């Protein structure tokens, strides 16, 4: 039996810790994926913050207090979703609003309609693009439910960036944790002429796997998954994804959103769907049917064997079996959803 000196033991121990850390980083190499279906609109001017405050579900004050980004929705007067967006603080009095690329002109028109006489400029951004940088090897078994209180914290506490950017591009890049859910990784805005690997070298460029990750987490985005005027913000998990403030002043669609939160029960939400076989033949809005033949949800997105749907929570989770056009499917409650006391039981 041999023994190590104290100094040698420390060297071996520390080296082991270092190797364990570096081997983890190698094993979990980050993926980078261009979000070609997303575009940016710039809102600039001394009144830009007050202007956005009256239109979005979230509180612009979060950005004024240090958050680099936040998730939000723009609603119609009936409280239904028109645009889902991520909003970035670019510089003083300047904000970037990310939205579905196919709705960018409609978003500009919507914003200009409410601008009235405010001193702000609203322009499409064509010289920057959006990337998602994420770990595709997250352990879903280790995901823990979110603390309800954390949903109303200033997003600044969640906006720490764990990416190493090359110095040459730092002044031209906006990098932030995805404000919706930390398991989605980071959102990075770069110049259109730049190569993401020149900015974040330790990444592997991928295509298509980010959508599958979103679906497995139960996070929807874009007009295909959230058809305009067809869905309410709480059904799209906007409250669970740090996307709505119930403490700020009025905004378009605020009354119904607040009433649903304070007195209503959200019976439908977007949830992950897993198909038992080839789902390529299924169409958008296909009905998910339980063993009694009752429709309990709608398919809103498919990629491979993974999908996402707007589901009736209790009926879909309590069903003995679920099918879509005779194809067996399973629905699960996202592990990150917060524990929430049943309002119906409290009555």
């Amino acid at each position: 039996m041999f023994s190590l000196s104290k100094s040698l033991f420390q060297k071996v121990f520390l080296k082991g810790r270092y190797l364990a850390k570096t081997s983890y980083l190698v094993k979990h190499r980050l993926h980078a994926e261009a979000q070609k279906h997303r575009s940016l609109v710039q809102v600039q001017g001394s009144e830009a913050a007050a202007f956005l405050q009256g239109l979005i579900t979230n509180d612009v004050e979060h950005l004024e207090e240090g958050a680099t980004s936040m998730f939000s929705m723009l609603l119609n007067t009936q409280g239904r979703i028109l645009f889902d967006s991520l909003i970035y603080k670019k510089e003083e009095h300047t904000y970037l609003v990310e939205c579905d690329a196919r709705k960018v002109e409609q978003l500009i028109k919507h914003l200009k309609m409410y601008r009235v006489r405010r001193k702000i400029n609203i322009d499409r951004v064509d010289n920057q693009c959006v990337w998602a940088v994420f770990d595709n090897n997250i352990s879903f078994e280790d995901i823990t439910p979110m603390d309800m209180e954390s949903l109303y914290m200033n997003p600044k506490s969640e906006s720490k960036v764990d990416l190493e950017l090359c110095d040459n591009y730092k002044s031209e890049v906006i990098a932030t944790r995805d404000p919706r859910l930390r398991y989605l990784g980071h959102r990075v805005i770069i110049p259109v002429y730049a190569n993401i690997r020149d900015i974040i070298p330790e990444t592997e460029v991928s295509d298509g796997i980010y959508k599958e990750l979103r679906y497995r987490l139960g996070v929807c985005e874009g007009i295909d998954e959230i058809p305009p005027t067809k869905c309410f913000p709480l059904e799209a998990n906007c409250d669970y994804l740090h996307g709505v403030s119930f403490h700020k002043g009025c905004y378009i669609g605020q009354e119904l959103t607040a009433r649903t939160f304070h007195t209503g029960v959200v019976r439908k939400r977007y949830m992950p769907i897993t198909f038992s076989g080839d789902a390529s033949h299924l169409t958008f809005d296909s009905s998910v049917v339980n063993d009694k033949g009752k429709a309990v949800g709608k398919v809103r997105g498919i990629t491979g064997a993974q999908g996402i749907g707007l589901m009736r929570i209790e009926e879909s989770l309590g069903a003995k079996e679920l099918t879509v056009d005779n194809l067996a499917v399973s629905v699960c409650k996202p592990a990150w959803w917060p524990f929430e006391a049943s309002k119906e039981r409290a009555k």
Side-chain angles (χ1 to χ4, degrees), residues 170-275:
K170 279 188 177 180
S171 61
E172 302 177 76
V173 171
I174 296 176
T176 176
R177 277 193 178 276
D178 193 303
R180 295 170 293 183
L181 193 65
R182 64 188 179 94
Y183 304 108
L184 290 172
H186 292 76
R187 219 66 168 183
V188 183
I189 299 175
I190 69 173
V192 293
Y193 61 81
N195 186 321
I196 189 67
R197 301 222 33 206
D198 291 335
I199 298 171
I200 311 172
E202 297 301 319
T203 56
E204 179 179 337
V205 177
S206 60
D207 184 25
I209 63 175
Y210 184 68
K211 179 186 284 189
E212 181 179 353
L213 175 64
R214 278 200 303 105
Y215 285 4
R216 292 181 70 192
L217 289 167
V219 179
C220 55
E221 71 177 27
I223 61 175
D224 288 336
E225 298 162 24
I226 314 174
T229 75
K230 301 297 184 182
C231 178
F232 295 103
L234 304 193
E235 292 177 341
N237 297 318
C238 190
D239 52 338
Y240 290 175
L241 293 169
H242 307 91
V244 58
S245 170
F246 297 103
H247 307 290
K248 59 176 277 188
C250 295
Y251 56 88
I252 295 175
Q254 179 261 349
E255 183 178 354
L256 181 60
T257 305
R259 186 165 67 245
T260 302
F261 175 76
H262 290 296
T263 64
V265 176
V266 182
R267 293 184 172 85
K268 295 187 295 182
R269 285 187 182 269
Y270 279 80
M271 301 172 69
I273 298 174
T274 303
F275 300 96

Side-chain angles (χ1 to χ4, degrees), residues 12 16 73 76 132 158 271 327:
V12 172
M73 303 281 192
N76 64 11
E158 299 291 333
M271 301 172 69
L327 177 66

